[in-house]
């Protein structure tokens, strides 16, 4: 059988060849970026180059960019590093934000999955102490884009700081730190074709920040620990490649049209809101997400059951719950996400496998109904 059609880029996008090459080169070079000798200087040059590449993807300065072990650490670091006790987060944030601040106040979203700005405004107005607001750029399950510029405008009016988890947005839509106006921005390499286990927190010059780990003076005293040089090199190369953006919206829209034609009762969640062009969160009526993921896997297509969580267990999606999707319908939702190497043939394969499964399930439903009728 040919290689699977990989349509789970929001989980991890395959490593881009340029990132692979940069990593191999860095591994060959070896060295510790803190060493003053030749090998150390070479490692430092690799990290510095990658820092420029990552910073430039999001319109930040290299000095504003701190490498981390991924998006999770970047989110945790922003939430603790900002030093604000009162924190407001949207109801659809990634676990690394929601669980990163268990005492955070939750801001609702509407039925399209867009942050309720009136609720943010009212909550900010009711606050007597300095606040940090954390709202993601694009949701990992639905792809729905959040109104960050409006969040910043409301937050600034009351002196609140703003963190934006841009892990799913960067490389898919243009991201500009200055334009967005946020104080902290989280990134993850493996969502844009870099390696897993590396990310960055961008801290706007002048924004308050205190590190969360003690040790050496790496990352300008903001994140102790010898840098993951090869991972950082891969991140830089992937970020550079991702600057051209991702042009898959046409394929995604065609895919949604085809699936809804096959199963007219299917719902595309968040379809009415602005979304990143690579993500579809769609239900196959009556078919549990786990069944869909397994059947498609057997047909050589990789997708995920909503927010496939780290344990591999499928739990009820807090994102769809926050959007008011009925509990049963939420269990039918899967996430299909396209990326830099997606070809029309991958989409065709998914459509065929999805249709075959849907027909199979319908036929077995019909034969069950008939045998029940005969038995009655
Ligand atoms: N934020 C969002 C929106 C994500 O989708 C993810 C990963 O799924 C993360 C943060 C965590 O990133 P990482 O896997 O690099 O820790």
């Amino acid at each position: 059988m040919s290689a699977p059609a990989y349509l789970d880029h929001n989980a991890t996008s395959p490593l881009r060849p340029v990132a692979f090459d940069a990593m191999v080169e860095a591994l060959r070079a070896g060295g510790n970026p803190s060493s003053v000798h030749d090998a150390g200087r070479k490692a430092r040059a690799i990290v510095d180059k990658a820092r420029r590449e990552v910073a430039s993807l999001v319109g930040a300065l290299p000095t504003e960019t701190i490498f981390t072990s991924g998006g999770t650490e970047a989110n945790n670091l922003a939430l603790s590093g900002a030093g604000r006790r009162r924190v407001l987060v949207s109801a659809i944030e990634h676990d690394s934000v929601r669980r990163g601040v268990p005492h955070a106040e939750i801001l609702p979203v509407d039925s399209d999955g867009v942050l309720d700005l009136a609720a943010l405004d009212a909550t900010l107005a009711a606050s007597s102490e300095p606040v940090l607001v954390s709202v993601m750029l694009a949701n990992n399950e639905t792809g729905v884009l959040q109104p960050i510029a409006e969040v910043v405008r409301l937050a600034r009016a009351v002196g609140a700081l703003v963190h934006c988890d841009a892990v799913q947005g960067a490389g898919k839509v243009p991201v500009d730190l200055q334009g967005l106006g946020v104080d902290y921005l989280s990134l993850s390499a493996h969502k844009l074709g870099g390696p897993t286990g590396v990310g960055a927190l961008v801290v706007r010059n002048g924004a308050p920040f205190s590190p969360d780990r003690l040790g050496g003076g790496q990352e300008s005293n903001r994140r102790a620990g010898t840098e993951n040089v090869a991972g950082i090199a891969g991140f830089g190369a992937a970020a550079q490649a991702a600057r051209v953006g991702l042009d898959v919206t046409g394929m995604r829209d065609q895919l949604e049209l085809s699936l809804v034609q096959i199963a007219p009762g299917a719902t595309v969640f968040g379809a009415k809101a602005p979304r990143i062009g690579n993500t579809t969160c769609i239900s196959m009526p009556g078919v549990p997400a786990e069944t869909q993921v397994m059947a498609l896997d057997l047909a050589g297509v990789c997708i995920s059951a909503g927010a496939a969580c780290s344990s591999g267990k499928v739990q009820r999606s807090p994102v769809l719950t926050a959007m008011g999707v009925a509990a049963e319908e939420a269990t039918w939702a899967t996430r299909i996400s396209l990326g830099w190497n997606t070809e029309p043939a991958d989409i065709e394969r998914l459509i065929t496998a999805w249709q075959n499964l849907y027909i199979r399930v319908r036929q077995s439903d019909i034969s069950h109904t008939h045998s029940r009728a005969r038995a009655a």
Side-chain angles (χ1 to χ4, degrees), residues 126-361:
S127 183
S128 53
E129 62 176 307
V131 173
L132 170 69
V133 182
S134 180
V135 177
M136 68 200 330
L137 182 58
N139 182 260
N140 42 307
E141 285 184 51
T142 60
V144 170
L145 286 156
Q146 301 302 316
I148 302 299
E150 281 299 288
V151 169
V152 170
R153 195 180 58 75
L154 295 174
R156 287 283 174 264
V158 295
L161 294 167
V162 180
H163 164 243
C164 178
D165 173 352
V167 163
Q168 293 290 352
K172 296 172 186 156
V173 289
V175 178
D176 178 52
L177 183 75
Q178 301 301 325
L180 283 176
V182 300
D183 301 287
Y184 313 93
L185 189 87
S186 299
L187 301 170
S188 175
H190 72 114
K191 308 294 186 181
L192 46 81
T196 52
V198 57
L201 177 66
V202 176
V203 179
R204 183 184 57 74
N205 266 344
F209 179 76
S210 48
D212 72 348
R213 62 178 72 185
L214 304 176
Q218 291 90 352
E219 298 298 285
S220 305
N221 291 309
R222 292 172 301 181
R223 200 261 185 183
T226 302
E227 296 88 342
N228 168 7
V229 180
I232 288 171
F235 187 9
Q240 168 78 16
R243 285 183 70 177
V244 295
L246 190 60
D247 185 17
V248 293
T249 313
M251 272 195 279
R252 191 276 312 268
D253 291 350
Q254 193 50 50
L255 164 70
E256 289 180 350
L257 273 176
S258 303
L259 299 187
V260 173
Q261 262 164 17
I262 293 165
T267 304
V268 176
F269 300 101
K272 288 204 246 68
R275 286 181 293 161
I276 41 175
N278 82 316
T279 307
T280 286
C281 182
I282 188 166
S283 63
M284 184 189 281
V287 187
E290 308 91 279
T291 307
Q292 296 181 52
V293 170
M294 284 188 285
L296 265 64
D297 190 30
L298 287 173
V301 181
C302 304
I303 62 164
S304 90
C309 35
S310 45
S311 59
K313 271 190 307 194
V314 180
Q315 57 177 13
R316 192 169 161 206
S317 157
V319 174
L320 297 183
T321 306
M323 290 165 68
V325 176
E328 189 181 32
E329 195 179 12
T331 66
W332 305 334
T334 59
R335 178 186 68 189
I336 302 161
S337 49
L338 289 57
W340 64 268
N341 64 353
T342 304
E343 302 279 351
D346 300 321
I347 304 297
E348 285 308 316
R349 195 149 159 202
L350 168 72
I351 294 170
T352 306
W354 207 86
Q355 180 165 34
N356 289 344
L357 172 64
Y358 187 64
I359 291 171
R360 238 174 24 241
V361 172

